[in-house]
Amino acid sequence: MPDPDRIPAADLPPGAVRRVGKWAVGNRDGEYFAVSRRCRHQLADMSKGSIDRNGCLVCPWHGARYDVRTGEMVEGPRGILGYHGPTPGYTQFVRAYARRLRLRVRRAVRRGDDVVLE
């Protein structure tokens, strides 16, 4: 049975994000991170997200961007339900809500051939 708190480092090249149990674990140019898997907007699975050029984790559904060091939503979202586009007012509401309920952050470190959650 696989360990729910580790992933082979070979499965996590730079720019990749993977599911490890309840966590979205990624490699931000050699810096590993782990955050809770559910976006604070509409609970998208963040392990299916991507890392942008600024090192933020981007939600796969509506593009909300999160600082992986703090779990804070730094931008977004860009849509609601199936709509992808501007949502004035609503976006500010979600960001205010997300400031209080950030993604949880867990330390992820490389140990030998694995990335381990501490």
Side-chain angles (χ1 to χ4, degrees), residues 33-80:
F33 66 86
V35 295
S36 49
R37 279 190 32 232
R38 297 294 168 197
C39 179
R40 296 305 185 220
H41 173 222
Q42 289 184 329
L43 306 179
D45 186 346
M46 297 302 288
S47 71
K48 297 185 184 307
S50 59
I51 301 171
D52 70 9
R53 68 175 181 253
N54 296 317
C56 290
L57 180 58
V58 181
C59 174
W61 286 1
H62 296 107
R65 296 175 55 240
Y66 290 88
D67 182 326
V68 297
R69 294 165 296 182
T70 64
E72 180 180 354
M73 182 186 287
V74 295
E75 183 182 35
R78 296 185 192 139
I80 183 171

Side-chain angles (χ1 to χ4, degrees), residues 6-28:
R6 71 178 53 230
I7 183 172
D11 292 349
L12 209 55
V17 182
R18 302 284 185 265
R19 177 183 176 178
V20 179
K22 296 179 180 182
W23 301 91
V25 179
N27 181 341
R28 185 180 143 176

